[in-house]
Amino acid sequence: MEQHVTAAGGFAYGVIGASIHVFGDGMPLYVLENWRPPPVNTHCAAADFTGLRTWRDEGPRLAVRWLHGEDGPGRTRLAARFAHEALADGWKAVTAVHGHGAALPPPGSQDLRPDGARGLALLVDHADRWPLTHLTWLFSNALLHRPGLRTRVLLLARGADAWPAVRAALANHQAGTSTMALAPLPDRRPPHT
């Protein structure tokens, strides 16, 4: 398959193997791209990573988890470790970044086809900041609905207030749903003298 993406006087974004949902002005509701490792250490001993690995490997074909905790590096590091290990285990790892002001991937196309992958892991940071309607569009993306492909959506958030409405929006997709609270990370700053 070949796709040509061009733009005249603007930015063009294309995907292969997924859907694009846009506002009336042509800006995407969200941007999907292949996961890229962050330039920081992804070591995360403070969180229960075993629970995420079990969630990834067991259960229904489509499952969504709301991972929440206080501000700090815990959620991001845990998600990076989750994506890194998923890739190492033969999964396709993709991120979704919310619409206007999102850091766009390089111009051109993102090949999101999970050809030969054992599963698909989608990471959504700051999910509690997304309007529910935008998350609902994301949940309907063709990327998440491939028969026989184990798919996991990890939603990262500061709190759990939005989770009941998000969980209800997933009912039509027959997705397994769960939530996981992260304990606050210990304060590693040196004590004041």
Side-chain angles (χ1 to χ4, degrees), residues 145-157:
H145 299 284
R146 298 182 177 274
L149 183 68
R150 183 176 298 278
T151 302
R152 297 296 178 259
V153 180
L154 186 61
L155 302 170
L156 308 173

Side-chain angles (χ1 to χ4, degrees), residues 59-137:
R61 187 202 66 77
L62 175 61
V64 179
R65 174 161 287 178
W66 187 268
L67 177 67
H68 62 96
E70 294 179 13
D71 281 340
R75 292 185 315 267
T76 302
R77 284 185 187 168
L78 185 61
R81 181 172 171 191
F82 176 75
H84 180 79
E85 289 200 14
L87 281 173
D89 291 341
W91 285 58
K92 178 85 168 173
V94 175
T95 58
V97 180
H98 188 245
H100 289 309
L104 296 172
S109 187
Q110 289 286 307
D111 187 350
L112 302 176
R113 292 175 294 181
D115 296 342
R118 291 181 53 210
L120 171 75
L122 175 65
L123 285 71
V124 183
D125 204 357
H126 306 293
D128 54 335
R129 298 180 190 170
W130 287 48
L132 181 60
T133 54
H134 296 187
L135 283 173
T136 301
W137 277 107

